[in-house]
Amino acid sequence: MSRLEQLISEFCPNGVDYVHLWEVTIWDKRFNSVDRKKQKQIITYPYLLASNLFNLEQPTGNVFLLSTGEKTGWTNEKLAGNYLCQGEVVAIPWGKSRPLKEVIKYYKGKFVTTDNRIATSNDTDKLLNKYLYYCMINQGETIDKFYRGSGIKHPNMNDVLNVIIPLPPLPIQEEIVRILDKFAELTAELTAELTARKQQYEYYRDELLTSGDNIQWTPLEIIGRVAMCKRIMKSQTKSCGNIPFYKIGTFGKKPDAFISNELFNEYKEKYSFPKPGSILISAAGTIGRTVIYDGNPAYYQDSNIVWLEHDESDVLNKYLYYCYQLKPWNISNGGTISRLYNDNILKAKIPIPYPEDKEKSLAEQQRIVDILDRFDRLCSDISEGLPAEIEARQKQYEYYRDKLLTFKKKEAAENE
């Protein structure tokens, strides 16, 4: 019998209570959609705009930057100033475009936050905050459904607070946290090794692309022109169908909008459309993110997802793909949102080897592409190496997390 099974046998052989989040947590503000009796207490935290949070970032510090995305960092108390917070918290973003499991955070200590919705246990003798964190991750797909809107989505907090979690006795929570922390630690070690490998890859990529005496930095306007798909109106899309329509929020991810075959075929024939192998570029959102168009039927949001239209007589598309990773863009700021305009793309310069000898240049480009393809597979291919091991470890972790957080309900047990 495992330690956890022994604890369950000792403390709750007949099952455990299940409770709503509002019964056991305190949040950072009163929500309009939530009955006041469900929020008898709040703890407010001053927050910075997301665009300002990382202006505080320092190489070292003891104050955590609690962002709404995957990126995190550190600062110091002096820079944090009046935005300095402290506590043991679980944070979910007020606005997000990614699954909750990728952006939910647990932290204990001093921090500065942007616009998160922050929860903490209302009694740590009954509910551990780290256990709450694992419960909310386990309910991540359910909570994702409570986020509404297109692009950046916001949660219905009444639905979030009504989520039900198991509440076993404290010794059982502690053991579950210990087991899941161990899983997380092992995955973090592999992820750190993969990060180091990617940093090594980036160093050699930059060396391959930019070193040598036969390099000429050439603006993209010499190579081709910026192209984009014809605008699609929201009324022309639907929630399901055969032809995916990728917006900036779903670029490189699973689409949530589709267009008809008839509209796709009409627009593909009459207007600009990427050729297989074209490098699609995000001009908003995650600036400069690239995806290689694989030729499968799909449509892309005009002006937000663009590509350089050219005939590959001077530069191979796959070579362009790796040059774009050098982030050659001079990004303009439009209001509070950064944007990559056509002129930014056309004025961007990339390194072209042996510019005076086209045949030799294309051969050298292909040689560099072949080397970087091998590096990229080692770092990114989910079917081999560390990425595959991390994926397997993550699936194992999710399986056991679900098992560890599933209990017999006390009410059902008492009625047996």
Side-chain angles (χ1 to χ4, degrees):
M1 181 180 290
S2 70
R3 170 66 176 159
L4 183 58
E5 290 172 327
Q6 290 175 351
L7 291 170
I8 292 173
S9 178
E10 178 181 353
F11 288 99
C12 51
N14 296 320
V16 306
D17 292 320
Y18 276 69
V19 297
H20 298 93
L21 285 181
W22 65 263
E23 297 178 79
V24 290
T25 57
I26 300 170
W27 290 76
D28 62 309
K29 64 181 293 184
R30 297 197 187 279
F31 306 114
N32 292 333
S33 61
V34 177
D35 193 306
R36 287 293 179 266
K37 71 179 182 181
K38 296 181 179 180
Q39 286 195 280
K40 296 178 181 179
Q41 182 183 357
I42 62 170
I43 301 175
T44 58
Y45 304 91
Y47 68 84
L48 278 168
L49 293 175
S51 57
N52 294 332
L53 184 67
F54 288 98
N55 291 338
L56 304 179
E57 189 171 16
Q58 296 292 302
T60 60
N62 65 333
V63 180
F64 186 60
L65 298 179
L66 193 67
S67 70
T68 56
E70 282 190 303
K71 181 181 177 182
T72 59
W74 297 90
T75 189
N76 56 52
E77 294 181 37
K78 182 178 180 180
L79 287 175
N82 293 332
Y83 292 97
L84 182 66
C85 307
Q86 186 163 356
E88 186 182 14
V89 298
V90 179
I92 64 173
W94 179 239
K96 73 176 183 70
S97 58
R98 311 189 65 168
L100 187 76
K101 66 179 182 180
E102 297 180 11
V103 290
I104 187 173
K105 296 179 182 68
Y106 163 87
Y107 186 70
K108 182 179 182 181
K110 297 174 182 177
F111 63 91
V112 175
T113 184
T114 184
D115 196 6
N116 286 291
R117 297 284 67 83
I118 298 176
T120 189
S121 168
N122 63 16
D123 184 351
T124 52
D125 288 332
K126 294 182 179 178
L127 172 67
L128 297 176
N129 278 301
K130 195 63 175 291
Y131 175 81
L132 169 65
Y133 165 72
Y134 284 124
C135 283
M136 290 185 68
I137 290 180
N138 208 47
Q139 294 277 5
E141 291 185 4
T142 297
I143 296 175
D144 279 334
K145 296 174 184 176
F146 303 148
Y147 277 78
R148 307 294 202 293
S150 59
I152 302 299
K153 300 181 179 182
H154 302 281
N156 181 316
M157 290 306 297
N158 185 57
D159 290 337
V160 173
L161 266 65
N162 279 329
V163 165
I164 295 173
I165 63 170
L167 191 64
L170 217 59
I172 294 173
Q173 293 182 40
E174 291 171 343
E175 179 64 8
I176 289 172
V177 166
R178 185 192 69 78
I179 295 169
L180 293 178
D181 277 354
K182 189 64 177 177
F183 268 109
E185 180 184 331
L186 293 171
T187 303
E189 290 174 359
L190 287 174
T191 303
E193 185 177 342
L194 181 59
T195 299
R197 185 179 289 182
K198 286 183 176 180
Q199 289 172 343
Q200 182 185 40
Y201 157 72
E202 289 169 4
Y203 172 80
Y204 284 112
R205 178 200 65 206
D206 294 359
E207 283 289 303
L208 272 171
L209 290 171
T210 63
S211 64
D213 298 327
N214 296 298
I215 293 291
Q216 178 175 297
W217 289 85
T218 305
L220 292 175
E221 63 186 349
I222 301 297
I223 300 166
R225 70 175 190 90
V226 175
M228 65 190 73
C229 290
K230 168 77 172 175
R231 174 169 292 186
I232 291 288
M233 308 303 291
K234 186 176 181 180
S235 60
Q236 294 175 289
T237 67
K238 45 192 176 181
S239 60
C240 59
N242 295 325
I243 309 298
F245 174 53
Y246 290 98
K247 299 168 288 185
I248 200 62
T250 56
F251 183 50
K253 305 174 188 176
K254 184 178 180 180
D256 60 7
F258 299 82
I259 63 173
S260 67
N261 285 284
E262 293 76 16
L263 185 63
F264 171 72
N265 290 326
E266 177 189 350
Y267 278 23
K268 181 182 177 183
E269 292 299 320
K270 292 171 64 175
Y271 306 108
S272 294
F273 193 77
K275 298 175 183 177
S278 295
I279 312 302
L280 303 171
I281 311 166
S282 61
T286 305
I287 299 293
R289 183 178 182 184
T290 53
V291 169
I292 303 172
Y293 177 56
D294 61 8
N296 289 322
Y299 209 77
Y300 298 89
Q301 191 175 33
D302 67 297
S303 79
N304 284 334
I305 302 171
V306 301
W307 66 93
L308 193 74
E309 194 168 85
H310 67 117
D311 60 8
E312 293 192 274
S313 60
D314 293 310
V315 180
L316 301 175
N317 266 321
K318 194 62 181 290
Y319 183 78
L320 265 184
Y321 171 76
Y322 286 118
C323 286
Y324 289 165
Q325 292 178 8
L326 297 174
K327 299 179 181 178
W329 328 112
N330 179 22
I331 297 174
S332 300
N333 288 315
T336 59
I337 302 175
S338 295
R339 183 165 188 87
L340 189 61
Y341 292 100
N342 289 0
D343 193 56
N344 302 128
I345 297 172
L346 294 173
K347 298 298 184 187
K349 294 182 178 181
I350 63 165
I352 296 182
Y354 304 104
E356 303 302 324
D357 186 332
K358 186 176 295 188
E359 184 177 345
K360 191 172 184 180
S361 178
L362 292 174
E364 178 64 7
Q365 290 176 41
Q366 187 62 57
R367 185 186 76 85
I368 292 172
V369 165
D370 291 341
I371 293 171
L372 293 179
D373 278 351
R374 290 195 292 272
F375 266 109
D376 192 51
R377 282 194 295 272
L378 288 172
C379 291
S380 306
D381 195 333
I382 206 65
S383 66
E384 60 180 84
L386 281 175
E389 190 171 348
I390 291 171
E391 177 76 0
R393 186 72 55 81
Q394 183 66 24
K395 288 181 178 178
Q396 184 185 39
Y397 157 71
E398 291 174 0
Y399 171 80
Y400 281 110
R401 185 190 64 213
D402 183 60
K403 291 292 184 183
L404 290 169
L405 294 172
T406 300
F407 296 88
K408 181 185 290 186
K409 287 186 179 181
K410 184 182 290 184
E411 296 81 4
E414 291 173 348
N415 290 332
E416 287 179 359

Tab-separated table of all heavy atoms in Angstrom, residues 68-95:
chain	number	residue	atom	x	y	z
A	68	THR	N	0.633	37.481	-17.297
A	68	THR	CA	-0.553	36.716	-17.704
A	68	THR	C	-0.208	35.667	-18.754
A	68	THR	O	-1.075	34.887	-19.140
A	68	THR	CB	-1.635	37.655	-18.286
A	68	THR	OG1	-1.064	38.393	-19.375
A	68	THR	CG2	-2.144	38.625	-17.228
A	69	GLY	N	1.041	35.647	-19.227
A	69	GLY	CA	1.465	34.684	-20.238
A	69	GLY	C	2.519	33.737	-19.706
A	69	GLY	O	2.725	33.635	-18.491
A	70	GLU	N	3.208	33.077	-20.620
A	70	GLU	CA	4.232	32.114	-20.219
A	70	GLU	C	5.496	32.795	-19.715
A	70	GLU	O	6.188	32.285	-18.844
A	70	GLU	CB	4.583	31.203	-21.405
A	70	GLU	CG	3.556	30.119	-21.654
A	70	GLU	CD	4.051	29.110	-22.668
A	70	GLU	OE1	4.389	29.517	-23.795
A	70	GLU	OE2	4.104	27.913	-22.332
A	71	LYS	N	5.823	33.959	-20.284
A	71	LYS	CA	7.056	34.641	-19.896
A	71	LYS	C	6.966	35.132	-18.450
A	71	LYS	O	5.941	35.655	-18.019
A	71	LYS	CB	7.319	35.838	-20.818
A	71	LYS	CG	8.612	36.577	-20.492
A	71	LYS	CD	8.827	37.772	-21.406
A	71	LYS	CE	10.094	38.528	-21.018
A	71	LYS	NZ	10.305	39.731	-21.870
A	72	THR	N	8.033	34.934	-17.705
A	72	THR	CA	8.125	35.443	-16.339
A	72	THR	C	9.494	36.094	-16.171
A	72	THR	O	10.333	36.047	-17.068
A	72	THR	CB	7.956	34.322	-15.303
A	72	THR	OG1	8.973	33.325	-15.520
A	72	THR	CG2	6.580	33.669	-15.408
A	73	GLY	N	9.717	36.680	-15.026
A	73	GLY	CA	11.000	37.316	-14.772
A	73	GLY	C	11.066	37.815	-13.343
A	73	GLY	O	10.193	37.511	-12.516
A	74	TRP	N	12.093	38.623	-13.069
A	74	TRP	CA	12.328	39.098	-11.711
A	74	TRP	C	12.679	40.574	-11.712
A	74	TRP	O	13.196	41.108	-12.698
A	74	TRP	CB	13.484	38.313	-11.069
A	74	TRP	CG	13.177	36.858	-10.920
A	74	TRP	CD1	13.424	35.876	-11.838
A	74	TRP	CD2	12.536	36.220	-9.818
A	74	TRP	NE1	12.979	34.664	-11.374
A	74	TRP	CE2	12.434	34.843	-10.127
A	74	TRP	CE3	12.041	36.667	-8.590
A	74	TRP	CZ2	11.863	33.919	-9.265
A	74	TRP	CZ3	11.474	35.746	-7.727
A	74	TRP	CH2	11.386	34.402	-8.064
A	75	THR	N	12.396	41.221	-10.611
A	75	THR	CA	12.806	42.594	-10.395
A	75	THR	C	13.187	42.749	-8.925
A	75	THR	O	13.265	41.756	-8.196
A	75	THR	CB	11.699	43.585	-10.818
A	75	THR	OG1	12.221	44.914	-10.781
A	75	THR	CG2	10.479	43.490	-9.913
A	76	ASN	N	13.414	43.990	-8.482
A	76	ASN	CA	13.748	44.218	-7.071
A	76	ASN	C	12.686	45.092	-6.421
A	76	ASN	O	11.830	45.680	-7.101
A	76	ASN	CB	15.144	44.838	-6.933
A	76	ASN	CG	15.286	46.134	-7.730
A	76	ASN	OD1	14.481	47.047	-7.610
A	76	ASN	ND2	16.322	46.204	-8.553
A	77	GLU	N	12.737	45.188	-5.112
A	77	GLU	CA	11.706	45.903	-4.362
A	77	GLU	C	11.684	47.394	-4.686
A	77	GLU	O	10.622	48.017	-4.722
A	77	GLU	CB	11.908	45.679	-2.862
A	77	GLU	CG	11.690	44.230	-2.439
A	77	GLU	CD	11.869	44.019	-0.944
A	77	GLU	OE1	11.470	44.909	-0.166
A	77	GLU	OE2	12.430	42.978	-0.555
A	78	LYS	N	12.855	47.971	-4.945
A	78	LYS	CA	12.915	49.400	-5.249
A	78	LYS	C	12.162	49.708	-6.535
A	78	LYS	O	11.367	50.652	-6.595
A	78	LYS	CB	14.370	49.855	-5.350
A	78	LYS	CG	14.515	51.344	-5.616
A	78	LYS	CD	15.987	51.752	-5.659
A	78	LYS	CE	16.126	53.253	-5.932
A	78	LYS	NZ	17.547	53.664	-5.971
A	79	LEU	N	12.405	48.901	-7.586
A	79	LEU	CA	11.707	49.124	-8.849
A	79	LEU	C	10.226	48.781	-8.752
A	79	LEU	O	9.389	49.406	-9.410
A	79	LEU	CB	12.357	48.286	-9.952
A	79	LEU	CG	13.725	48.767	-10.456
A	79	LEU	CD1	14.293	47.777	-11.459
A	79	LEU	CD2	13.610	50.141	-11.101
A	80	ALA	N	9.900	47.799	-7.929
A	80	ALA	CA	8.488	47.425	-7.762
A	80	ALA	C	7.691	48.565	-7.144
A	80	ALA	O	6.529	48.808	-7.505
A	80	ALA	CB	8.380	46.176	-6.903
A	81	GLY	N	8.298	49.283	-6.214
A	81	GLY	CA	7.666	50.457	-5.605
A	81	GLY	C	6.302	50.157	-5.017
A	81	GLY	O	6.117	49.181	-4.276
A	82	ASN	N	5.319	50.975	-5.383
A	82	ASN	CA	3.962	50.819	-4.843
A	82	ASN	C	3.221	49.618	-5.410
A	82	ASN	O	2.118	49.300	-4.957
A	82	ASN	CB	3.144	52.084	-5.117
A	82	ASN	CG	3.667	53.289	-4.351
A	82	ASN	OD1	4.257	53.143	-3.280
A	82	ASN	ND2	3.471	54.477	-4.912
A	83	TYR	N	3.827	48.950	-6.388
A	83	TYR	CA	3.187	47.770	-6.980
A	83	TYR	C	3.638	46.480	-6.313
A	83	TYR	O	3.233	45.393	-6.716
A	83	TYR	CB	3.477	47.702	-8.486
A	83	TYR	CG	2.812	48.804	-9.265
A	83	TYR	CD1	3.514	49.955	-9.607
A	83	TYR	CD2	1.479	48.708	-9.622
A	83	TYR	CE1	2.906	50.985	-10.310
A	83	TYR	CE2	0.851	49.732	-10.324
A	83	TYR	CZ	1.565	50.872	-10.663
A	83	TYR	OH	0.953	51.881	-11.356
A	84	LEU	N	4.476	46.585	-5.278
A	84	LEU	CA	4.973	45.402	-4.579
A	84	LEU	C	3.839	44.699	-3.840
A	84	LEU	O	3.107	45.315	-3.061
A	84	LEU	CB	6.075	45.797	-3.596
A	84	LEU	CG	6.731	44.644	-2.828
A	84	LEU	CD1	7.502	43.741	-3.791
A	84	LEU	CD2	7.657	45.190	-1.746
A	85	CYS	N	3.695	43.407	-4.069
A	85	CYS	CA	2.691	42.577	-3.393
A	85	CYS	C	3.404	41.420	-2.705
A	85	CYS	O	4.560	41.112	-3.010
A	85	CYS	CB	1.676	42.016	-4.397
A	85	CYS	SG	0.879	43.231	-5.458
A	86	GLN	N	2.699	40.765	-1.805
A	86	GLN	CA	3.269	39.602	-1.138
A	86	GLN	C	2.149	38.645	-0.764
A	86	GLN	O	1.062	39.059	-0.354
A	86	GLN	CB	4.049	40.009	0.114
A	86	GLN	CG	4.789	38.834	0.764
A	86	GLN	CD	5.867	39.290	1.736
A	86	GLN	OE1	6.125	40.487	1.876
A	86	GLN	NE2	6.517	38.351	2.389
A	87	GLY	N	2.425	37.360	-0.887
A	87	GLY	CA	1.437	36.365	-0.511
A	87	GLY	C	1.713	35.031	-1.155
A	87	GLY	O	2.707	34.853	-1.868
A	88	GLU	N	0.836	34.091	-0.919
A	88	GLU	CA	0.862	32.774	-1.569
A	88	GLU	C	-0.390	32.701	-2.418
A	88	GLU	O	-1.501	32.656	-1.879
A	88	GLU	CB	0.900	31.652	-0.540
A	88	GLU	CG	1.070	30.282	-1.169
A	88	GLU	CD	1.066	29.153	-0.144
A	88	GLU	OE1	0.677	29.403	1.012
A	88	GLU	OE2	1.440	28.025	-0.516
A	89	VAL	N	-0.217	32.723	-3.730
A	89	VAL	CA	-1.353	32.953	-4.612
A	89	VAL	C	-1.378	31.982	-5.787
A	89	VAL	O	-0.356	31.401	-6.164
A	89	VAL	CB	-1.328	34.403	-5.165
A	89	VAL	CG1	-1.445	35.421	-4.035
A	89	VAL	CG2	-0.072	34.663	-5.989
A	90	VAL	N	-2.566	31.846	-6.353
A	90	VAL	CA	-2.777	31.150	-7.622
A	90	VAL	C	-3.394	32.178	-8.568
A	90	VAL	O	-4.399	32.811	-8.233
A	90	VAL	CB	-3.712	29.942	-7.466
A	90	VAL	CG1	-3.929	29.266	-8.813
A	90	VAL	CG2	-3.141	28.957	-6.455
A	91	ALA	N	-2.784	32.361	-9.737
A	91	ALA	CA	-3.222	33.418	-10.652
A	91	ALA	C	-3.640	32.850	-11.994
A	91	ALA	O	-2.953	32.003	-12.570
A	91	ALA	CB	-2.094	34.439	-10.850
A	92	ILE	N	-4.785	33.321	-12.482
A	92	ILE	CA	-5.212	33.024	-13.848
A	92	ILE	C	-5.346	34.355	-14.574
A	92	ILE	O	-5.697	35.370	-13.966
A	92	ILE	CB	-6.534	32.226	-13.897
A	92	ILE	CG1	-7.696	33.038	-13.315
A	92	ILE	CG2	-6.393	30.898	-13.173
A	92	ILE	CD1	-9.060	32.377	-13.494
A	93	PRO	N	-5.056	34.413	-15.876
A	93	PRO	CA	-5.099	35.697	-16.578
A	93	PRO	C	-6.518	36.190	-16.801
A	93	PRO	O	-7.427	35.397	-17.047
A	93	PRO	CB	-4.408	35.389	-17.907
A	93	PRO	CG	-4.606	33.927	-18.102
A	93	PRO	CD	-4.597	33.317	-16.741
A	94	TRP	N	-6.689	37.514	-16.709
A	94	TRP	CA	-7.993	38.107	-17.009
A	94	TRP	C	-8.279	38.000	-18.501
A	94	TRP	O	-9.402	37.780	-18.922
A	94	TRP	CB	-8.019	39.561	-16.549
A	94	TRP	CG	-9.299	40.265	-16.832
A	94	TRP	CD1	-9.481	41.385	-17.578
A	94	TRP	CD2	-10.613	39.902	-16.364
A	94	TRP	NE1	-10.800	41.753	-17.618
A	94	TRP	CE2	-11.525	40.852	-16.877
A	94	TRP	CE3	-11.103	38.865	-15.571
A	94	TRP	CZ2	-12.893	40.795	-16.616
A	94	TRP	CZ3	-12.465	38.798	-15.313
A	94	TRP	CH2	-13.340	39.764	-15.833
A	95	GLY	N	-7.237	38.138	-19.303
A	95	GLY	CA	-7.391	37.968	-20.744
A	95	GLY	C	-6.360	36.973	-21.247
A	95	GLY	O	-5.183	37.067	-20.894
